Structure formats: C-alpha cells, structure tokens
Amino acid sequence: LYIAHVSTAEAAELIRGARKRGIMIMCETCPHYLIKTEEVYCTDNAALAIASPPLRTREDTEALFEALRDDTIQCVSSDHCAFARSVKRASNSCFDMPAGISGVETLLPLMYTYGVKANRISLERMLMCHKVTHKNLIDNRLLFRNLDDEIYCTISTNIFQNH
C-alpha cells in the first residue's frame, strides 16, 4: 500500500501503528505539508496555498518531521502542480480554484533549509527521502557545493518556469 500526501499527525500515527503490526505501507509527504501551515489561509496569499489535502497545523508539521526521522514516512515528493498566479487568483472561492503548489525548483533547498539546517532531520535522511545517494550523485555527475557553506537564495516567482 502506498499513501500519498500524508499531511496530519493522526495519519502519521495510524501509519506508524500499522507498520509496527507488520502491514506493508510506504508513504510520502510534500514540503508544503512540512513547512507551511493553515495560517497562510488568513493572508493575501491564501489562493496560492490551496492544495489537496489542505495545509494543516504547526503540530502536524512537527509530527510529520518526526515521521520522517523514524521512517514512518519514506519519501518527500514535490507534488508539483503549478498554476499561474493569475489563474489561482481569478477564482472567488477555494472550491472553484485549481488546487496545487509548485515544488520542483524548491524541493531540495526547502528540505535542506527547514529540515537539515533546522536540525529536524539529518542530511543523510534528507538524501534518503529523495533517493539521492553518493553513487547516483557521482554517476549522474551532479555537482553540489559543500552544503556546510552558507548558501543564500531568495525564492521568488522570477525563479520559476511557471509563474
């Protein structure tokens, strides 16, 4: 059984319990469920955060990081489903606007910043959640700067292919 988009502490706990009972379950979450909370729905950018399932509480985000640490959640995916701001903001209701959040360009930087640098998960765990290993980094000739260096990047719409 593969469960996508785990977004609540309750779901993580149910999955953890099922795995302890020997049920074969794998699951994933997305960066927005680890980092953003439902508080964004009270801002001017609420339309941009409409996703399915919706964003949850700070307690849920912390429980999801715990589930990543203990292997209850095995994978973090981007769930890249980008829409132009004009499309998202054209609707008057969350019920008729497209649900989705961009994530391909920001997946690794967000996980490194809010996971590794914030001491929520180790670098090794982050790489395993993305199925990145030293071998495939070398095999694919991917070059990473030393992650211990301070690398600053402001994420804004001008870096996205879709905005």
Side-chain angles (χ1 to χ4, degrees):
L1 177 63
Y2 185 81
I3 301 173
H5 301 11
V6 176
S7 66
T8 65
E10 180 182 16
E13 191 55 39
L14 290 169
I15 293 163
R16 183 179 289 115
R19 288 174 57 89
K20 285 181 181 176
R21 290 190 309 279
I23 298 173
M24 298 291 294
I25 298 177
M26 293 193 67
C27 61
E28 58 96 325
T29 191
C30 305
H32 43 280
Y33 300 124
L34 292 162
I35 297 165
K36 295 287 186 182
T37 68
E38 63 191 2
E39 294 168 4
V40 75
Y41 297 134
C42 296
T43 71
D44 291 338
N45 289 319
L48 303 178
I50 299 296
S52 184
L55 301 176
R56 309 298 183 161
T57 67
R58 177 68 51 211
E59 293 77 21
D60 289 310
T61 65
E62 293 304 322
L64 294 177
F65 268 112
E66 175 61 30
L68 277 177
R69 284 191 298 274
D70 71 12
D71 200 41
T72 296
I73 296 175
Q74 294 76 39
C75 181
V76 178
S77 66
S78 73
D79 187 37
H80 186 80
C81 188
F83 294 94
R85 285 174 173 255
S86 59
V87 172
K88 293 280 274 190
R89 290 191 167 148
S91 301
N92 291 323
S93 166
C94 66
F95 299 108
D96 63 1
M97 74 177 51
I101 296 176
S102 61
V104 169
E105 297 101 336
T106 59
L107 177 67
L108 287 173
L110 289 174
M111 289 306 300
Y112 182 72
T113 300
Y114 293 97
V116 176
K117 294 294 274 185
N119 294 313
R120 289 182 170 128
I121 57 171
S122 68
L123 176 60
E124 294 76 19
R125 184 68 187 137
M126 183 196 89
L127 294 174
M128 287 306 299
C129 288
H130 299 291
K131 305 303 183 233
V132 176
T133 65
H134 297 294
K135 182 178 181 335
N136 66 24
L137 285 174
I138 294 167
D139 288 350
N140 292 311
R141 294 177 175 26
L142 294 175
L143 300 176
F144 278 89
R145 282 189 55 181
N146 182 343
L147 290 176
D148 289 329
D149 290 346
E150 291 296 324
I151 301 170
Y152 295 96
C153 172
T154 300
I155 296 175
S156 65
T157 56
N158 64 353
I159 69 167
F160 297 112
Q161 296 299 315
N162 257 348
H163 61 82

